[in-house]
Amino acid sequence: MVPTPVEAAPIAGQLVPMAASGGQQQGVGRISLAVLIDYIVQRTYHELTVLSELLPRKTDMERKIEIVQFVSRTRQLFIRLLALVKWANSAAKVYKCSDIMMFLDQQALLFTDTADMLAQISREKLVNARLPNFSLPLAVDVLTTGTFPRLPACIRDRIVPPDPISESEKRSTLRQLGNIIQYRLVTSSLPIQMRNLQIENGRVTFHVNHEFEVSLTLMGDNATVPWRLLDIDILVQNKETGEGKALVHPLQVQYIHQLLQSRLIENRHPLHDLYNCLHSFCQSLQLEVLNFQLDKLVKERLGMCLRVMEYLPGRCLTIGYWRKDVKNYTTSDYTLSVQVDPTDSNKPLLVVHKPPINGSKSTEQAIKSEHLSIEKLLIHTIHERAKCKLQEIEASLEKQTAGNCVISGTPAVLFIPVMSPCITSEQLHISIDFLTGRVLCSMPFCDPALQVVKEVEVLLNGDKGDMEKLFSELRFQLMMNRIDRTVQHLFVECKTKLPIPDIDASPLAKLSKYKMYINLTRYSQFYVVVELNQSETDSKVIAPTYYVMTVKSISFDDAATDLPTPNLKVTSLVQFDTFAITHGPFTRAAEPSHDETPNLHKRQFSGGSDFPAKKLRTESWYYIPELAHSVAMCEQKIPFWMLSEELNRRNILHQGIEVECFGTGLVLKLLALPSSLLERGTKSLQKKLLSCAFRENDGKPARPWVVEFIFARAPLATLSSREQSARQHVYFQYDFIENKRIGDIVESFLDSWKQMANLYDSVLDFADYFDDSRDGLQNIVRLHSFNYKRLLLIYGADFSNQVSIEWSVPEKQFKLLFSMSTHGSPIANCHCITDTQLQHEFNQHRSIPQLLQVLHETYLPLMAVAKLPTNPLLAGSSNLARAVQSFLILPQSSTHLKIAFRGIYCLDVYCCSAGLVAVRDGAYSLFDKSKAMEGFTPTPGLKTFFNMYVDDSSVRHRSMTEDDNPPSPMESVDSFLAQQQPSVGSPAQRADGLRFHHPMTPPSNPLTPASPHTSVLHQQMRTPSPGTLLTSSPSAAFHVPSPGQGYAAPISHIHSPAFMQPTTDTSASPGRKSRSQQHPGAESGSPYPSNLPMQSPGPRWPASPSMPGPSPASRLIPMSPGHPMLQSPGDPGRNGMVGPGSRVLPQRSWAAAVPTLLSHQAFNVLLTPTVMQDYPAMLSCSPLERFLGCVFLRRQIQRFVQSEETLVALPTTEPGVVLMRVESMTCRVALQPSTQQILQLSLTPLPDFHEQWSAEELQVLETVFERKVVCPPYKPNAVHAFCRLLAVPVRVLKDCVQLLHLELRPDRSHKWALQWCWTIPPSAPHIAPAGTAAFIATKNKILFFVSDSLARRFLYCNSNAA
């Protein structure tokens, strides 16, 4: 016996079945630990439950004893359980050993039993056993021949099958058998239903559709041989609930097979008997299928509606439907019976209806046996039954209908026209509920919950009541729905009731009870009332009557009408003349016909038309054109009526409400504006006005007001193609909000008129100057567009900039909008920098020529300023947590800018005329040059740097003794400003005589704009023209060249931009003088700090009297005849001009406080980013940024020298030089004298270390300092790291120099390139914040960063200081 494998030992807690083997000891079993714990818990719970029931009956002492005993017993039990659980962790090994021992015992027992059985057989059964004689012949045959020829013949005949017949014999036999079968069928009687047969393969197959299929054959050619039944197939199926399964069990088919075979023997008509048996069985099976489907239908869905009245298996199935009493269902008036035909059982199943369905032959036909479905049979029956019932209802309602009724659809629906005319959606739909047989009424056009339709439904299901009254009510409801549908596209609200407390006393009491209130939502106090009445000629026609009603809100005590109360009071009710409204001019509300609307686009023949005049209805009947036109007319005319009333109240004359040409809309034209508006600004515009009309824009949902102004030709000829006609149309739109006061619209209209008047006043003054060729305005500006609402001017180089001037009604001031004239331009308008200042100044003087002159003179300087980078830099200062802007532009006025560099240095830029710009150090005070302004630091060497860019056009105006004799702080500023005073005074000075000036108090913080009164320099001393600023004689003003200008020449005949003054020139037009005095406050300055504002960029007016400047300080200084610019007090009589390069000006700490004049070309070069020729690897930046960056880093180096212990500062007398000493050398840091844009380092070894340093090593350090450290973007931490590098020991420094040499001159044979990182890069590991100085030296360690460009990684280099 093969030994069985050892079973795996169960783990702890696993369920182990009880031992059933006989080898185990009796009574030894196993139980799952989980079951054991469950038993213990249940036992404890049971005992606790028993205690809770028994303890209340015992005494207190007994209860305590029982509780203690229970606790002690339970505790011991759970202690044993705990010990068992702990032991179960190691029980797996014990179980495994036990199973091994049990298996060995079983094997030993098997061996013992085997030996006993063998001994018993040998001693008892095999004592008399003998072997037979050996068959030697058979053995010899098998061994020699390999066969067994001596097998008996009887065995061969019974076991070995005979040889099969051939295929040809088979075909011949089957062909003969088919002929025999065919002969038998011809000579015997065959049922009609079994004529569908097929003879094939020796058998005949009879097929009866949807019932059965049977196969027969004959076993011989004798005429007495009976038919042999081969196969029976039942074709009845249950496709509804059969799920594809056979309906007859194979045992049942076998029984039928045996029965039919027995009846085929000794039968005169065997085939007839075969058909009768199978046909009867199939009909019984069909009835059973229908009954099964009906039972399932009743149980699942239609148990409350259907009932099986009678079922006789194999005979009939009767179904009851449309029962009257659902709760007590005993009988039904309507039944359906499926039964066998009583006259001829060979026919299919017959359907019988009770009561009979008249006029429907389809219901009397037999049930379709190809698809047995009781549900389809019921649906078809109920559909025909419903059509009969609807025909009865149609006959009973014949008097109430307004046309022909139609029954159609599935399920059947009766369509009844209620009123005349009546569309399909307004017809009453009557149908029959398939489940209950109740009559259902609906009307798609009306609300499904309409009470009248429900009442009609109740009457049709019960006794016939007053049906005529209900149909009359239904007609009124349909008419109300027509009214609602007609106005649904209009901005109105339909109501059937209004909160009118005393309606009986109002005019509405005289109307019928059927009426609709149509509220115009835009005008809540107006209603259109529609009264409905039956026509006198035909009761099926409803005739509407229209009224317009006005109401007002009232309170309960008829007081405080302005309070929002829900109660209304009728103030007026006026009936419409419908014919007059719908047949007025340009009205098409009536029904169009061929004769009323002829084709105007085709030629009319002389002969009349042969066709009769027939009206063609173009819209649906539910749409009432008279109502829609009346409501639209009210909605259109009411706002015009309100507007005319408001205009009359304001004494504005108008022509009344008129109809536009071709009936496009209504219009209200004004005759004249009120006299209160005809001020000086509007009188001239009134003369240009040709027409003013109010219209409503019907094309938009909000229907805003559109006001059209028609003016004569504008005083300016513009480039716009729309403004070239003799008349110019100006349109304004005003949003008309619901129930908005019409007075607000009129106020907006008057504001628009004032807007055009203010702009036209300035434009009219500007037109005089623009048309005068002497002013030169046509060379610097082009008029793009002027539409009386906005003036659009284009100016600048290639006329690519534009400024838009328009009057802002809410702010009551002019608004300037600067942009580019070409769409998609990559640059912005440079005057966006000073747009706020320009707008403020323009609102002060309102002079367009003055604005254009300022724009012209400041265009190139601002274009240059716009090139400065203003992006914030995180590494721009030592504080990495705060971003610092490279340049911060602070406009002080339209011609004065402050430019701050990294919040430390500041420049004052003044745009002068004649193509000049005055630049000074903005950190110095204008009043005391020995003091710096709070928040800024003076820029050393700035004067020397500016002098490098002084060209021929500006150097001749400088004084030779500019820096030799420094003037007093107050004297120098006043002297500079006094020489810029205009040669003529402002109109205010001439008209009012002496004026007191505001105190010259500068702002405390240069970043904070000062108040308008603090800008005394701008209010009293206007910016000088080139002639007064740089020349001594008036005639010289007309010959000052402007080399820096890249576009049109300056204007020569125009007033100062700061003020417009009258002239005594007889060639000037009188209109100019009158308009120049219209703004006496034009000389008031900008509210922004303007320490050096500009006057006219053009020269003085010819023949104008010279007026002294208003500065008090200017009257204390004797003026030189030549009146030179910035002339030193020590050399007052010098009149000659200085050529370029005549001498080098000594550097003084106050020198940059005096403005330096630069041409526009030089100023543009100063601020344009470029790449230095000798340093192509540097970033592109402007010379000014390079200079200020170097000055900034030089200042940082001084701070590092003071903070680092290893750097020793050395005294020096050279200005702008930083001298320090490290361990082995002396370092000198200074600006490059030739360009002032590079910070150079000069290294000199100390005497003790002279031999350790070579010239090449020192040059490497100097080159790295110039090209890698003090380069854009000028990082102070990079300079800090370089200073730390210089302070390391000599041996370490020389090794670092070798690395720097590899960076400057890389070996092309190497596959990598080394780069020294002076600041920690962002992609480096987070040791310190990015941007920190990347060189740290301690007593024992030195940490620095280098970058491998091939591997793109950062390497940390630690070097021991020793």
Side-chain angles (χ1 to χ4, degrees):
M1 178 179 290
V2 180
T4 59
V6 180
E7 297 180 356
I11 60 175
Q14 183 179 356
L15 181 63
V16 180
M18 297 296 292
S21 176
Q24 292 185 352
Q25 297 180 1
Q26 186 69 21
V28 177
R30 298 180 184 178
I31 188 172
S32 173
L33 183 60
V35 176
L36 179 61
I37 295 174
D38 191 18
Y39 286 166
I40 293 174
V41 172
Q42 292 180 3
R43 174 184 172 183
T44 305
Y45 177 74
H46 174 70
E47 293 179 355
L48 186 61
T49 306
V50 173
L51 284 178
S52 64
E53 295 178 356
L54 299 180
L55 289 183
R57 306 175 186 175
K58 298 181 181 181
T59 61
D60 182 63
M61 183 56 66
E62 292 176 349
R63 286 197 296 269
K64 292 180 180 178
I65 293 173
E66 292 292 339
I67 292 173
V68 170
Q69 291 178 354
F70 168 73
V71 170
S72 177
R73 185 170 59 254
T74 306
R75 180 174 179 273
Q76 293 178 3
L77 180 61
F78 277 93
I79 288 175
R80 290 196 292 272
L81 178 61
L82 178 61
L84 180 62
V85 171
K86 291 183 178 180
W87 174 83
N89 293 330
S90 60
K93 299 179 180 178
V94 177
Y95 283 132
K96 188 174 183 179
C97 294
S98 177
D99 291 337
I100 293 173
M101 293 177 62
M102 187 184 304
F103 173 73
L104 294 177
D105 291 342
Q106 270 187 335
Q107 297 298 322
L109 182 61
L110 291 175
F111 286 133
T112 304
D113 291 342
T114 303
D116 293 344
M117 292 297 295
L118 291 176
Q120 183 181 1
I121 292 173
S122 64
R123 294 173 184 174
E124 297 179 359
K125 298 181 179 181
L126 299 180
V127 174
N128 298 323
R130 297 292 184 269
L131 290 175
N133 294 328
F134 296 106
S135 180
L136 295 179
L138 296 179
V140 171
D141 291 339
V142 171
L143 292 175
T144 55
T145 63
T147 61
F148 189 52
R150 302 177 187 273
L151 186 67
C154 62
I155 298 176
R156 182 186 58 191
D157 296 340
R158 292 185 179 181
I159 297 177
V160 178
D163 295 335
I165 63 176
S166 63
E167 292 294 331
S168 60
E169 294 176 348
K170 287 182 181 180
R171 289 194 295 269
S172 176
T173 303
L174 292 177
R175 189 182 305 110
Q176 294 178 6
L177 183 58
N179 294 334
I180 294 170
I181 293 173
Q182 187 176 5
Y183 173 75
R184 175 68 66 89
L185 292 176
V186 171
T187 58
S188 61
S189 176
L190 187 66
I192 300 176
Q193 293 81 1
M194 296 179 65
R195 297 297 174 88
N196 185 10
L197 56 88
Q198 182 180 5
I199 301 174
E200 186 180 5
N201 295 330
R203 65 170 61 187
V204 57
T205 303
F206 298 97
H207 182 84
V208 180
N209 292 332
H210 311 298
E211 289 190 7
F212 61 88
E213 185 178 84
V214 61
S215 298
L216 301 174
T217 187
L218 293 174
M219 303 305 295
D221 56 355
N222 194 352
T224 59
V225 176
W227 287 97
R228 181 69 176 266
L229 183 61
L230 299 179
D231 189 15
I232 298 175
D233 188 10
I234 304 299
L235 302 180
V236 179
Q237 296 181 357
N238 184 7
K239 296 184 179 181
E240 295 289 336
T241 58
E243 298 179 357
K245 298 180 181 180
L247 298 179
V248 185
H249 196 270
L251 295 178
Q252 294 176 324
V253 176
Q254 183 179 358
Y255 172 76
I256 297 173
H257 188 282
Q258 295 175 358
L259 177 63
L260 294 177
Q261 183 64 48
S262 63
R263 297 176 70 93
L264 290 175
I265 302 174
E266 297 180 358
N267 195 331
R268 295 180 60 186
H269 302 285
L271 296 181
H272 285 274
D273 190 60
L274 174 67
Y275 172 75
N276 292 334
C277 292
L278 290 178
H279 176 68
S280 176
F281 176 76
C282 290
Q283 282 190 337
S284 301
L285 187 59
Q286 289 176 355
L287 288 176
E288 186 66 28
V289 169
L290 294 176
N291 181 56
F292 177 77
Q293 292 178 356
L294 182 61
D295 289 341
K296 188 173 183 180
L297 197 63
V298 170
K299 291 178 181 178
E300 293 181 356
R301 291 184 292 164
L302 305 178
M304 301 296 295
C305 306
L306 300 177
R307 184 179 178 86
V308 180
M309 306 300 296
E310 183 183 10
Y311 174 60
L312 298 177
R315 293 179 58 187
C316 70
L317 174 64
T318 305
I319 308 168
Y321 58 95
W322 284 7
R323 53 184 178 179
K324 296 181 179 179
D325 189 2
V326 177
K327 296 182 179 179
N328 186 15
Y329 194 169
T330 56
T331 60
S332 177
D333 294 339
Y334 302 94
T335 60
L336 167 67
S337 178
V338 181
Q339 60 186 7
V340 178
D341 194 342
T343 58
D344 187 2
S345 60
N346 293 332
K347 292 183 178 181
L349 295 176
L350 183 65
V351 180
V352 179
H353 301 278
K354 180 184 177 182
I357 300 177
N358 300 326
S360 178
K361 297 182 180 179
S362 60
T363 57
E364 301 295 337
Q365 295 178 358
I367 185 172
K368 294 181 180 180
S369 56
E370 69 271 11
H371 186 83
L372 295 176
S373 175
I374 193 65
E375 186 173 1
K376 290 186 176 180
L377 180 60
L378 286 171
I379 291 174
H380 178 71
T381 301
I382 294 175
H383 174 71
E384 296 297 331
R385 182 73 67 184
K387 289 174 66 176
C388 294
K389 195 170 183 178
L390 291 176
Q391 290 174 0
E392 297 175 1
I393 296 175
E394 178 184 359
S396 63
L397 298 178
E398 184 178 1
K399 296 181 180 180
Q400 309 299 333
T401 59
N404 297 327
C405 300
V406 179
I407 299 177
S408 64
T410 301
V413 179
L414 173 62
F415 300 92
I416 299 178
V418 179
M419 59 187 303
S420 177
C422 186
I423 61 176
T424 305
S425 59
E426 292 180 338
Q427 293 177 350
L428 180 63
H429 295 186
I430 300 178
S431 60
I432 306 298
D433 190 355
F434 266 37
L435 301 180
T436 62
R438 289 180 54 85
V439 179
L440 303 178
C441 297
S442 64
M443 187 170 289
F445 190 76
C446 299
D447 187 4
L450 192 61
Q451 186 64 28
V452 181
V453 178
K454 293 184 178 180
E455 293 178 1
V456 172
E457 179 180 329
V458 171
L459 290 182
L460 292 177
N461 285 302
D463 297 335
K464 302 297 185 291
D466 191 359
M467 190 65 70
E468 183 177 359
K469 180 180 179 181
L470 293 179
F471 269 75
S472 177
E473 178 74 17
L474 188 57
R475 293 187 188 99
F476 284 111
Q477 294 293 340
L478 286 176
M479 195 63 184
M480 290 183 180
N481 277 277
R482 285 187 179 183
I483 294 172
D484 193 9
R485 290 294 184 92
T486 300
V487 299
Q488 67 180 356
H489 63 284
L490 302 176
F491 291 95
V492 296
E493 182 181 2
C494 288
K495 300 178 182 179
T496 56
K497 294 182 180 180
L498 290 180
I500 302 176
D502 193 8
I503 193 172
D504 295 335
S506 65
L508 295 176
K510 300 179 182 180
L511 306 181
S512 65
K513 67 174 184 178
Y514 299 105
K515 49 184 173 292
M516 291 281 289
Y517 304 96
I518 303 174
N519 179 224
L520 307 179
T521 55
R522 299 173 184 267
Y523 324 102
S524 57
Q525 69 274 21
F526 290 91
Y527 287 84
V528 175
V529 183
V530 183
E531 180 189 11
L532 303 177
N533 293 292
Q534 287 186 351
S535 177
E536 297 178 356
T537 58
D538 188 359
S539 61
K540 300 180 181 63
V541 178
I542 305 299
T545 307
Y546 306 105
Y547 302 86
V548 61
M549 179 180 67
T550 58
V551 297
K552 67 176 181 179
S553 300
I554 60 172
S555 60
F556 291 101
D557 54 355
D558 200 8
T561 56
D562 55 340
L563 296 178
T565 60
N567 296 326
L568 301 175
K569 182 180 180 180
V570 180
T571 57
S572 64
L573 182 67
V574 180
Q575 182 179 354
F576 281 158
D577 187 353
T578 310
F579 182 83
I581 292 176
T582 56
H583 293 78
F586 309 106
T587 303
R588 298 173 182 265
E591 297 179 359
S593 61
H594 288 288
D595 54 347
E596 292 178 356
T597 57
N599 192 347
L600 301 179
H601 301 282
K602 295 183 179 180
R603 182 180 300 175
Q604 299 295 324
F605 295 98
S606 58
S609 177
D610 296 335
F611 297 98
K614 180 181 177 181
K615 294 184 178 181
L616 298 177
R617 185 79 177 187
T618 59
E619 65 275 344
S620 179
W621 282 108
Y622 77 81
Y623 180 78
I624 308 174
E626 297 84 1
L627 174 62
H629 184 76
S630 300
V631 173
M633 182 204 66
C634 293
E635 190 177 20
Q636 189 177 21
K637 284 192 175 182
I638 285 176
F640 282 92
W641 174 77
M642 298 170 63
L643 178 63
S644 63
E645 293 293 329
E646 182 67 20
L647 294 177
N648 292 335
R649 189 179 63 83
R650 295 176 181 263
N651 297 325
I652 300 178
L653 302 180
H654 57 85
Q655 296 181 0
I657 304 174
E658 301 176 1
V659 180
E660 288 271 28
C661 183
F662 301 109
T664 56
L666 300 179
V667 63
L668 183 66
K669 296 183 179 180
L670 302 185
L671 296 176
L673 293 174
S675 58
S676 59
L677 295 179
L678 297 178
E679 302 175 356
R680 56 179 177 84
T682 59
K683 290 180 180 179
S684 55
L685 186 62
Q686 179 76 11
K687 297 178 181 179
K688 287 281 185 177
L689 181 63
L690 301 179
S691 174
C692 178
F694 278 84
R695 294 180 178 86
E696 268 194 324
N697 191 354
D698 296 338
K700 296 184 179 180
R703 297 182 64 181
W705 284 103
V706 177
V707 179
E708 179 190 29
F709 293 93
I710 302 178
F711 294 96
R713 184 184 295 273
L716 295 175
T718 63
L719 302 177
S720 177
S721 59
R722 299 180 179 179
E723 301 171 4
Q724 303 301 323
S725 60
R727 297 191 307 173
Q728 190 166 350
H729 297 256
V730 182
Y731 297 94
F732 288 92
Q733 284 192 0
Y734 309 110
D735 294 334
F736 188 77
I737 307 174
E738 298 179 1
N739 300 320
K740 182 180 179 181
R741 291 179 60 253
I742 198 67
D744 298 339
I745 303 297
V746 178
E747 287 292 338
S748 301
F749 161 71
L750 297 179
D751 290 339
S752 301
W753 175 256
K754 295 177 182 178
Q755 171 187 355
M756 294 188 296
N758 283 294
L759 181 61
Y760 185 77
D761 185 32
S762 298
V763 169
L764 196 60
D765 184 33
F766 168 63
D768 297 337
Y769 294 101
F770 188 78
D771 295 337
D772 193 347
S773 59
R774 297 175 302 169
D775 294 338
L777 281 175
Q778 298 178 358
N779 299 326
I780 66 172
V781 68
R782 292 180 181 176
L783 304 180
H784 183 272
S785 172
F786 173 64
N787 57 2
Y788 288 88
K789 295 191 292 185
R790 184 182 65 172
L791 176 63
L792 191 61
L793 306 173
I794 54 178
Y795 65 96
D798 301 330
F799 297 98
S800 58
N801 297 264
Q802 68 180 11
V803 56
S804 172
I805 306 174
E806 60 181 332
W807 177 264
S808 175
V809 175
E811 301 179 12
K812 296 183 179 180
Q813 64 175 356
F814 282 100
K815 300 288 290 186
L816 302 183
L817 179 62
F818 295 92
S819 60
M820 303 301 293
S821 58
T822 57
H823 296 285
S825 177
I827 59 175
N829 194 319
C830 61
H831 284 99
C832 294
I833 301 174
T834 59
D835 56 353
T836 306
Q837 289 73 20
L838 288 169
Q839 177 176 312
H840 177 78
E841 294 175 4
F842 181 75
N843 280 284
Q844 296 295 326
H845 55 72
R846 298 191 178 185
S847 174
I848 298 178
Q850 181 175 342
L851 172 65
L852 293 176
Q853 186 66 16
V854 173
L855 296 178
H856 175 74
E857 294 294 343
T858 59
Y859 175 74
L860 287 180
L862 290 181
M863 284 290 291
V865 171
K867 299 177 182 178
L868 294 176
T870 58
N871 299 328
L873 299 175
L874 287 176
S877 63
S878 300
N879 186 7
L880 298 177
R882 180 174 62 91
V884 180
Q885 282 186 284
S886 297
F887 286 94
L888 179 62
I889 302 173
L890 304 172
Q892 306 297 305
S893 69
S894 60
T895 57
H896 177 199
L897 301 175
K898 281 185 177 292
I899 302 176
F901 178 77
R902 300 197 180 183
I904 298 178
Y905 305 116
C906 180
L907 302 179
D908 271 335
V909 179
Y910 303 93
C911 299
C912 305
S913 59
L916 299 178
V917 177
V919 189
R920 64 180 294 272
D921 192 343
Y924 286 104
S925 174
L926 286 174
F927 311 100
D928 188 357
K929 293 182 180 179
S930 62
K931 296 181 181 180
M933 299 180 65
E934 180 182 356
F936 290 117
T937 302
T939 307
L942 183 62
K943 189 69 174 181
T944 304
F945 176 71
F946 284 157
N947 287 337
M948 293 182 177
Y949 294 88
V950 176
D951 52 11
D952 296 339
S953 62
S954 57
V955 71
R956 63 187 179 187
H957 304 294
R958 297 168 53 196
S959 173
M960 289 292 294
T961 59
E962 181 180 22
D963 299 323
D964 296 340
N965 300 309
S968 64
M970 196 66 188
E971 206 173 59
S972 63
V973 176
D974 291 337
S975 171
F976 174 73
L977 297 177
Q979 297 175 31
Q980 304 182 57
Q981 293 306 312
S983 60
V984 292
S986 65
Q989 290 174 341
R990 295 197 310 272
D992 302 336
L994 296 177
R995 286 197 172 190
F996 294 95
H997 306 289
H998 297 287
M1000 299 174 63
T1001 305
S1004 59
N1005 190 349
L1007 299 179
T1008 304
S1011 64
H1013 301 294
T1014 61
S1015 183
V1016 63
L1017 297 177
H1018 184 71
Q1019 293 176 355
Q1020 299 183 124
M1021 297 171 285
R1022 298 298 168 186
T1023 306
S1025 63
T1028 58
L1029 182 63
L1030 303 174
T1031 61
S1032 58
S1033 62
S1035 60
F1038 297 95
H1039 304 283
V1040 177
S1042 179
Q1045 285 183 290
Y1047 50 103
I1051 305 170
S1052 59
H1053 297 282
I1054 195 168
H1055 293 296
S1056 169
F1059 58 92
M1060 299 298 293
Q1061 57 185 1
T1063 179
T1064 57
D1065 192 358
T1066 57
S1067 62
S1069 63
R1072 295 191 184 185
K1073 181 176 181 180
S1074 61
R1075 267 180 293 280
S1076 65
Q1077 297 175 356
Q1078 291 176 4
H1079 306 287
E1083 72 273 14
S1084 58
S1086 170
Y1088 302 92
S1090 177
N1091 297 331
L1092 192 58
M1094 296 302 300
Q1095 196 203 344
S1096 172
R1100 296 175 297 173
W1101 284 84
S1104 61
S1106 177
M1107 297 292 293
S1111 173
S1114 64
R1115 293 192 296 269
L1116 300 176
I1117 303 173
M1119 306 304 291
S1120 64
H1123 213 61
M1125 170 62 182
L1126 300 179
Q1127 183 173 343
S1128 173
D1131 193 9
R1134 188 181 302 272
N1135 296 330
M1137 293 302 168
V1138 181
S1142 60
R1143 68 181 180 90
V1144 178
L1145 296 177
Q1147 196 174 32
R1148 298 290 186 266
S1149 61
W1150 47 264
V1154 178
T1156 302
L1157 290 179
L1158 302 175
S1159 65
H1160 286 177
Q1161 183 179 4
F1163 189 70
N1164 182 56
V1165 172
L1166 185 64
L1167 271 66
T1168 301
T1170 56
V1171 178
M1172 296 190 68
Q1173 184 177 1
D1174 297 335
Y1175 301 90
M1178 284 189 181
L1179 296 177
S1180 175
C1181 60
S1182 62
L1184 177 63
E1185 184 178 1
R1186 285 194 288 265
F1187 168 74
L1188 294 177
C1190 292
V1191 174
F1192 169 72
L1193 293 182
R1194 185 179 62 188
R1195 182 172 181 266
Q1196 296 295 326
I1197 293 175
Q1198 293 176 347
R1199 295 177 56 190
F1200 297 150
V1201 170
Q1202 296 175 2
S1203 60
E1204 294 289 339
E1205 298 179 355
T1206 56
L1207 302 177
V1208 180
L1210 300 179
T1212 179
T1213 57
E1214 299 180 80
V1217 176
V1218 179
L1219 194 63
M1220 60 181 178
R1221 178 173 58 83
V1222 294
E1223 180 183 2
S1224 60
M1225 63 186 70
T1226 302
C1227 307
R1228 181 182 183 273
V1229 180
L1231 288 172
Q1232 187 183 31
S1234 60
T1235 62
Q1236 297 288 317
Q1237 300 177 28
I1238 296 296
L1239 201 61
Q1240 292 183 335
L1241 173 67
S1242 299
L1243 300 177
T1244 304
L1246 296 176
D1248 298 339
F1249 298 91
H1250 186 73
E1251 297 179 356
Q1252 297 184 14
W1253 289 103
S1254 64
E1256 184 180 1
E1257 292 175 338
L1258 297 179
Q1259 185 181 3
V1260 168
L1261 288 174
E1262 294 174 354
T1263 305
V1264 168
F1265 181 78
E1266 293 180 11
R1267 299 179 181 271
K1268 302 294 182 179
V1269 180
V1270 289
C1271 61
Y1274 301 105
K1275 302 179 182 179
N1277 287 332
V1279 179
H1280 195 183
F1282 186 84
C1283 294
R1284 289 177 179 176
L1285 174 65
L1286 294 178
V1288 299
V1290 178
R1291 183 176 61 84
V1292 178
L1293 182 59
K1294 291 176 71 65
D1295 293 338
C1296 294
V1297 169
Q1298 297 301 321
L1299 295 177
L1300 295 174
H1301 184 269
L1302 287 176
E1303 180 182 2
L1304 293 178
R1305 299 177 180 87
D1307 191 350
R1308 296 185 178 181
S1309 62
H1310 293 169
K1311 295 183 179 181
W1312 51 270
L1314 184 68
Q1315 182 179 1
W1316 191 287
C1317 298
W1318 298 105
T1319 58
I1320 296 179
S1323 57
H1326 187 69
I1327 298 177
T1332 309
F1335 192 93
I1336 302 174
T1338 60
K1339 294 182 180 179
N1340 300 323
K1341 295 288 183 179
I1342 296 176
L1343 175 65
F1344 59 94
F1345 287 79
V1346 292
S1347 173
D1348 184 356
S1349 61
L1350 178 62
R1352 297 181 182 274
R1353 62 181 183 269
F1354 293 95
L1355 307 176
Y1356 301 93
C1357 297
N1358 291 321
S1359 175
N1360 292 325

